[in-house]
Amino acid sequence: MNREKGPLDRPTAAEYASWFKALADPTRVQIVSLLARQGRPMNVGEIVEFVDVGQSTVSAHLKVLAEVRFVLAEARGTARYYRINDACIDCFPTAADIVMGRPAPTAPTCPPPADTANGARR
């Protein structure tokens, strides 16, 4: 069988599916867009000011986005600051191209999603 005419291999398809699933919520898309456009780390309180949901909901969405490494978190004192993972800016469009059967501009070198059970990378 011609590999280019067949589907993606299962592990790659599963990884990309986790990325698309993480973005399958309008609030998470807003958060990713906000962090990418702000270009600076933001805490949950700052993010809440821009999106129309409460702090606990934003925190839950950030957890989902961090699990697939779209956002990265760093502790500053008692607060956590979130920033966009710059690798995603290149990797996500490449993943979309690959899924749709378009030639990828470059081979994706994206970090694998974090293991949700213990925070370790897969």
Side-chain angles (χ1 to χ4, degrees), residues 45-69:
E46 291 175 305
I47 296 168
V48 167
E49 291 177 22
F50 286 92
V51 296
D52 193 25
V53 296
Q55 185 171 340
S56 62
T57 302
V58 168
S59 293
H61 285 305
L62 286 166
K63 181 179 183 217
V64 171
L65 293 168
E67 286 173 351
V68 295
R69 299 189 51 80

Side-chain angles (χ1 to χ4, degrees), residues 56-88:
S56 62
T57 302
V58 168
S59 293
H61 285 305
L62 286 166
K63 181 179 183 217
V64 171
L65 293 168
E67 286 173 351
V68 295
R69 299 189 51 80
F70 278 145
V71 299
L72 303 174
E74 67 180 76
R76 293 185 190 169
T78 59
R80 294 183 66 77
Y81 281 76
Y82 296 86
R83 65 181 173 85
I84 198 74
N85 181 350
D86 291 331
C88 292

